[in-house]
Amino acid sequence: MIKERLQKAINDQITAEMWSSQLYLQMSYFLKLQGWDGYARWLREHSGEEREHAVRMADYLCDRGGFVKLQMIDVVPEGWGSIQEIFGHALSHEKHVSKMINKVVTLAREEEDYATENFFRTFVDEQVEEEESAREMITTFEAVEGNKYGMYMIDKELATRVYNVPSPLAAE
């Protein structure tokens, strides 16, 4: 059984993952409204990844005999400036999530819960990928800075990209 302090931290992380999912979905619809379907699709896919993380964490908690407590999700921002600002915000957010996950790993280590530490290390690795993905988008924008056609072409490429995001229900 997972100790109460660690169980609370995992439940808080589940809530944070759900908030992240909502944030990216909101960003997606903000860009879709402006006609940027490719950028919107990229963010929608990332929204699904965040939800999938929350489901995996909740399943893990149940598997370990812990109680999953789905908490209220705070309201996410509704508007941003440029596409570049959105992805800059996404990178900052991913860095914040990385710190949160590191705290869960640290707590698991303190509690000598090596199974939880091991389980969350997969999310540590995923956060490296998440940060790099957002950073890559920002670098791409910098390469076409001021070029509307370049931004248009990136959007079209993202709209046709094949994403490989597993369904959170696929494991059932």
Side-chain angles (χ1 to χ4, degrees), residues 96-109:
H96 172 72
V97 171
S98 293
K99 288 179 184 176
M100 292 177 67
I101 289 172
N102 289 342
K103 286 181 181 180
V104 174
V105 171
T106 299
L107 181 57
R109 189 177 299 140

Side-chain angles (χ1 to χ4, degrees), residues 67-156:
F67 181 77
V68 174
K69 181 180 180 186
L70 298 178
Q71 303 169 57
M72 183 169 33
I73 301 169
D74 289 335
V75 175
V76 297
E78 296 178 359
W80 296 267
S82 67
I83 297 167
Q84 294 89 327
E85 287 176 30
I86 288 175
F87 283 89
H89 184 86
L91 176 58
S92 294
H93 179 68
E94 289 300 337
K95 288 178 180 180
H96 172 72
V97 171
S98 293
K99 288 179 184 176
M100 292 177 67
I101 289 172
N102 289 342
K103 286 181 181 180
V104 174
V105 171
T106 299
L107 181 57
R109 189 177 299 140
E110 288 171 6
E111 297 286 348
E112 297 182 355
D113 187 332
Y114 304 114
T116 298
E117 178 183 355
N118 188 55
F119 175 77
F120 270 86
R121 284 197 177 277
T122 62
F123 293 104
V124 170
D125 294 341
E126 284 191 39
Q127 282 308 118
V128 170
E129 293 173 18
E130 295 287 343
E131 287 182 31
E132 177 54 29
S133 182
R135 198 174 290 110
E136 182 181 278
M137 290 297 295
I138 292 167
T139 301
T140 302
F141 297 144
E142 289 170 352
V144 298
E145 189 173 344
N147 182 334
K148 290 180 182 179
Y149 183 72
M151 293 297 288
Y152 172 81
M153 292 307 296
I154 295 167
D155 183 67
K156 293 304 166 204

Side-chain angles (χ1 to χ4, degrees), residues 24-91:
Y24 291 143
L25 193 59
Q26 185 68 53
M27 288 174 167
S28 172
Y29 288 119
F30 179 80
L31 290 175
K32 186 172 180 63
L33 182 62
Q34 296 177 34
W36 296 109
D37 293 338
Y39 299 119
R41 183 165 177 235
W42 189 95
L43 288 159
R44 192 174 320 116
E45 294 295 330
H46 280 73
S47 171
E49 283 183 20
E50 301 302 338
R51 183 175 181 277
E52 187 262 337
H53 295 168
V55 169
R56 281 176 35 207
M57 290 174 192
D59 285 346
Y60 174 80
L61 191 54
C62 281
D63 291 347
R64 293 289 310 280
F67 181 77
V68 174
K69 181 180 180 186
L70 298 178
Q71 303 169 57
M72 183 169 33
I73 301 169
D74 289 335
V75 175
V76 297
E78 296 178 359
W80 296 267
S82 67
I83 297 167
Q84 294 89 327
E85 287 176 30
I86 288 175
F87 283 89
H89 184 86
L91 176 58

